Amino acid sequence: MDFFGNILTGFQITFQPVNLLYCFIGCFIGTLIGVLPGIGPTGAVSILLPVTFKISPVASIILLAGIYYGAMYGGSTTSILVNVPGEAASVVTCLDGYQMARQGRAGPALGIAAFGSFLAGTFSVIALMFLSYPLSRFALAFGPPEYTALIILGMTILTYLAQKSMIKALMMAAFGFLLAYVGIDMLTGRTRFTYGLSGLVDGIGILPIAMGLFGVAEVLENMDASGQISIFKTKLGNFYPTRQDWKDSWKPITRGSIIGFFIGIIPGGNATLASFVSYATEKRCSRHPERFGHGAIEGVAGPESSNNAAFAGGMVPLFALGIPTSVACALLFAALLIHGVQPGPFLIPEHPEIFWGLVASMYLGNVMLLVINLPLIGMWVQVLRVPQRILLPLILFFCIVGAYAANNSFFDVVVMMFFGVLGYLMRRFDYEPAPMVLAFVLGPMFENSMRQSLKLSGGNFVIFVSRPVSLTLLVLAALVLVSYFVFKKQREVLDEKETKI
Amino acid sequence: MKRVGTEAIGSLFWLAVGLFFAVGGFLLKLGTLRNPGPGFLPLMMASLLIAFSLFLLVRGLVEPGKVLKGVQWKPQSVLVVSVLIYGVLLGFMGFLLSTFVLMFVLFALFFEGKRRMPRALFYAATTAVIGWLVFSVALKVPFPRGALMSMLR
């Protein structure tokens, strides 16, 4: 394994002026999106995906990834200064970050969030580099039965980790799979569920679905809560945390990085979950848990580190196995497909420039983000002053143009609006969109591998349990399911505790 | 009469979706286990959806739980309908004009207070012109020319 050669190639790719520019644009937009409440990185990525059709796959992935980890940085700013999370992964940062701001320590809070993110980002990129390659070697031996089992395990864990109800999450997963089957059946060439609508023959696009669920639905939801945002007026002072701050924070940052990275690898383990787990861990580890919620710097350092690490963690299964584990990864997966790159164990050997270019760009992006965020903080505070009533119509406008531009047809806009309304109602009725999006993206792969397995075995389901790897994966999935029903009571108690923090 | 909770209403919707796909999958060729056809997995997934929504329906009827309230349907419906009308206008008036109309409706919907209309006009005009310059002129997104525009020409 020629690590240094590879990483050197990666940096050569990243340092090409064009890619450098896209990395910067990605980080910049990401920070902007992170700072603005009302739209999250997923909505932004799906709006911007059509723009990347014309640029190279490497540049496009660098740009889109930049938006995601950039948003993790930007989200903390809003949480700390306004007590409103800029995006979901910064919810817990509000608890102690805002309190720190009220005590006149907004500067160090922003500083530790940025430095913690930087350290965690760097750590997790290194871990990503060392873990993906061997895992993809291992996955090369996977056949259709293994992939079927892997997707079943992935979806089981994903629904297990769902915040609301596992049954609803399973329903959403089934619905996502069903949506994936609209269009031409790849094995027989028959059209399915199109009902004469020509726009449906190629299947429903991931972009109108994602824009609807994460863009339009968010606008509709924000119409209910016409809350006024009040920015906490404070002198930001300097960003450098004191010696004592560092002493308090280095352990949370380390733990947060590790927790975040491994949670990111697990299906359904997104940045939001990582930040919650990190916060709970810090509170438990602390000798003064009573300080949490009253401006403890550990409560900012840990979660902000872990949400950054989680994004890089999610890259491991995406690049090694071709399995996205979060909505963020699902959109990168879709972006790769749009550019004609098949995600899977062959991606790294066949397109080393994409993987290593992305890894190198993430090192660099983390440095850029420090520069974008800390010295320019004044500008981001100004951005926060843009009222929602101007922002929301504009977000909707961008969604419409984005959906239209993807295929130059208004049909996609109608599809987007449909999923916007559906997504809004789903939020109201406590259904989560994540399992649906992931099932939708994995749907074709799942169907092909399952049907191929059954063909291989002559219609015998034993093929899934007679091969050691797929047997192991299925047993794990069964264990997860069983543990859900066994530990259901405890989970509920735990949930109550979590909501109280 | 007992009030129907959100759980039951939601599960009825998903039950309908499940039935829809189940019938559709059944009508497609199911194939055999030896060679599964195009309807095989849709039927499987639809059955899962039906089973779970039936479970939720029963549970929702037994204990209704929370009841939906405090939802303003009006502004949301206006928003959705105006976007759909925008699709019709786009073919008729072209991008610049129809965007102006849409954005005016949207801003007027969101703004409050005394100078609501003039401000909405201002923001709508700005958005339409900048949007046209960026997307149509610079990025060359091929929006329909619009029948009206062609007539004027």
Side-chain angles (χ1 to χ4, degrees):
Chain A
M1 277 188 287
D2 186 11
F3 266 131
F4 290 100
N6 282 329
I7 194 70
L8 216 65
T9 325
F11 273 110
Q12 273 170 3
I13 293 162
T14 306
F15 273 110
Q16 283 169 14
V18 184
N19 293 339
L20 215 56
L21 178 69
Y22 282 116
C23 184
F24 177 77
I25 296 177
C27 292
F28 190 86
I29 296 178
T31 308
L32 178 70
I33 295 302
V35 168
L36 290 174
I39 182 157
T42 306
V45 164
S46 45
I47 292 171
L48 282 170
L49 239 168
V51 180
T52 70
F53 284 176
K54 284 174 197 152
I55 62 183
S56 74
V58 189
S60 139
I61 295 299
I62 287 177
L63 173 79
L64 300 175
I67 296 178
Y68 270 111
Y69 57 79
M72 299 297 138
Y73 273 74
S76 56
T77 306
T78 319
S79 295
I80 291 168
L81 292 180
V82 196
N83 200 19
V84 169
E87 32 85 37
S90 297
V91 171
V92 281
T93 309
C94 291
L95 297 172
D96 281 287
Y98 184 63
Q99 290 304 323
M100 281 182 75
R102 293 192 59 149
Q103 292 159 14
R105 297 192 359 102
L110 290 166
I112 204 74
F115 288 118
S117 299
F118 172 73
L119 294 172
T122 311
F123 159 80
S124 54
V125 166
I126 295 173
L128 162 69
M129 205 167 76
F130 281 98
L131 222 71
S132 296
Y133 194 71
L135 195 61
S136 74
R137 299 258 96 182
F138 176 65
L140 282 178
F142 279 18
E146 280 80 14
Y147 262 97
T148 314
L150 189 63
I151 294 174
I152 291 177
L153 174 64
M155 291 313 292
T156 317
I157 300 177
L158 177 79
T159 48
Y160 178 77
L161 288 178
Q163 278 152 20
K164 305 268 164 56
S165 122
M166 186 173 183
I167 291 181
K168 285 181 177 177
L170 282 169
M171 284 165 70
M172 289 305 94
F175 180 57
F177 279 120
L178 286 171
L179 287 177
Y181 302 142
V182 175
I184 290 176
D185 171 27
M186 279 194 282
L187 292 184
T188 60
R190 271 194 70 162
T191 55
R192 296 188 283 188
F193 306 108
T194 55
Y195 300 100
L197 290 170
S198 60
L200 287 179
V201 173
D202 286 333
I204 308 174
I206 173 80
L207 293 182
I209 292 185
M211 274 185 238
L213 290 177
F214 300 98
V216 178
E218 202 122 355
V219 172
L220 291 174
E221 199 181 22
N222 277 313
M223 289 175 88
D224 289 340
S226 54
Q228 280 287 325
I229 285 183
S230 59
I231 300 169
F232 191 71
K233 284 213 180 74
T234 174
K235 267 209 156 165
L236 290 170
N238 77 40
F239 298 110
Y240 298 103
T242 61
R243 244 205 150 99
Q244 183 62 38
D245 290 339
W246 277 113
K247 233 177 115 188
D248 289 337
S249 303
W250 74 269
K251 273 184 192 161
I253 290 176
T254 315
R255 277 192 292 259
S257 305
I258 297 169
I259 291 173
F261 184 75
F262 285 100
I263 285 186
I265 295 179
I266 305 169
N270 51 26
T272 312
L273 183 71
S275 63
F276 271 95
V277 173
S278 165
Y279 191 84
T281 313
E282 290 319 319
K283 208 173 166 182
R284 218 163 291 153
C285 288
S286 171
R287 267 186 233 137
H288 306 282
E290 71 282 354
R291 278 175 49 239
F292 279 77
H294 302 284
I297 197 162
E298 298 95 311
V300 178
E304 279 302 318
S305 310
S306 79
N307 67 20
N308 258 61
F311 177 68
M315 300 280 106
V316 174
L318 178 65
F319 280 100
L321 309 172
I323 303 271
T325 53
S326 65
V327 176
C329 295
L331 278 171
L332 289 183
F333 181 92
L336 287 169
L337 280 181
I338 287 170
H339 282 283
V341 178
Q342 179 65 46
F346 290 104
L347 193 148
I348 302 181
E350 277 174 11
H351 300 278
E353 80 283 359
I354 293 183
F355 179 70
W356 296 106
L358 175 67
V359 166
S361 85
M362 283 166 79
Y363 278 116
L364 212 68
N366 277 305
V367 181
M368 281 187 192
L369 279 167
L370 268 187
V371 179
I372 294 175
N373 273 270
L374 292 185
L376 294 181
I377 189 78
M379 186 178 88
W380 301 119
V381 174
Q382 288 305 314
V383 165
L384 264 175
R385 289 184 207 274
V386 177
Q388 291 268 303
R389 55 181 186 275
I390 294 177
L391 213 55
L392 294 176
L394 288 180
I395 291 172
L396 186 67
F397 172 63
F398 285 126
C399 287
I400 294 171
V401 174
Y404 182 88
N407 275 328
N408 297 326
S409 87
F410 202 78
F411 184 78
D412 281 350
V413 180
V414 176
V415 173
M416 173 187 81
M417 291 310 286
F418 173 80
F419 281 98
V421 174
L422 185 71
Y424 169 71
L425 292 175
M426 279 165 59
R427 279 161 205 237
R428 286 255 144 199
F429 286 79
D430 290 337
Y431 290 87
E432 286 171 64
M436 176 181 148
V437 174
L438 277 154
F440 176 75
V441 168
L442 289 171
M445 197 200 288
F446 182 65
E447 177 170 38
N448 286 350
S449 57
M450 181 148 201
R451 278 160 77 178
Q452 276 166 8
S453 315
L454 285 175
K455 265 188 187 166
L456 276 176
S457 69
N460 198 336
F461 278 94
V462 170
I463 188 167
F464 295 113
V465 289
S466 62
R467 300 167 61 131
V469 174
S470 70
L471 175 68
T472 319
L473 296 171
L474 285 177
V475 168
L476 283 175
L479 283 178
V480 171
L481 267 180
V482 170
S483 78
Y484 172 74
F485 291 104
V486 174
F487 297 117
K488 208 174 164 196
K489 264 266 141 54
Q490 287 184 11
R491 241 168 77 107
E492 272 156 17
V493 175
L494 211 101
D495 281 348
E496 265 165 39
K497 269 191 199 159
E498 298 268 309
T499 45
K500 267 183 204 149
I501 53 173
Chain B
M1 203 181 95
K2 256 203 312 196
R3 284 166 83 187
V4 184
T6 49
E7 291 288 275
I9 301 171
S11 57
L12 271 179
F13 171 75
W14 294 112
L15 185 64
V17 173
L19 286 172
F20 172 80
F21 277 101
V23 172
F26 198 76
L27 292 178
L28 287 163
K29 258 174 55 192
L30 287 181
T32 54
L33 274 185
R34 200 176 282 274
N35 187 8
F40 177 70
L41 267 165
L43 183 65
M44 221 168 88
M45 290 297 166
S47 320
L48 267 179
L49 190 54
I50 291 172
F52 286 130
S53 43
L54 277 178
F55 174 80
L56 279 191
L57 180 64
V58 172
R59 201 177 68 177
L61 287 177
V62 174
E63 37 180 312
K66 66 172 179 179
V67 181
L68 207 60
K69 58 182 175 204
V71 189
Q72 307 164 290
W73 297 105
K74 213 180 131 200
Q76 272 100 346
S77 333
V78 172
L79 184 144
V80 173
V81 170
S82 55
V83 173
L84 297 181
I85 294 175
Y86 174 67
V88 181
L89 287 185
L90 201 57
F92 179 62
M93 302 201 298
F95 180 72
L96 188 61
L97 269 181
S98 44
T99 303
F100 171 71
V101 174
L102 172 74
M103 293 317 286
F104 176 68
V105 174
L106 291 181
F107 279 120
L109 193 65
F110 278 88
F111 284 158
E112 289 158 354
K114 240 164 68 183
R115 289 169 45 236
R116 179 173 154 210
M117 289 303 162
R119 281 169 67 215
L121 265 173
F122 170 73
Y123 279 107
T126 317
T127 317
V129 171
I130 294 179
W132 180 71
L133 286 175
V134 170
F135 296 110
S136 201
V137 178
L139 290 174
K140 297 195 174 64
V141 178
F143 291 106
R145 293 285 310 278
L148 187 70
M149 288 298 160
S150 318
M151 262 176 351
L152 286 178
R153 212 157 257 249

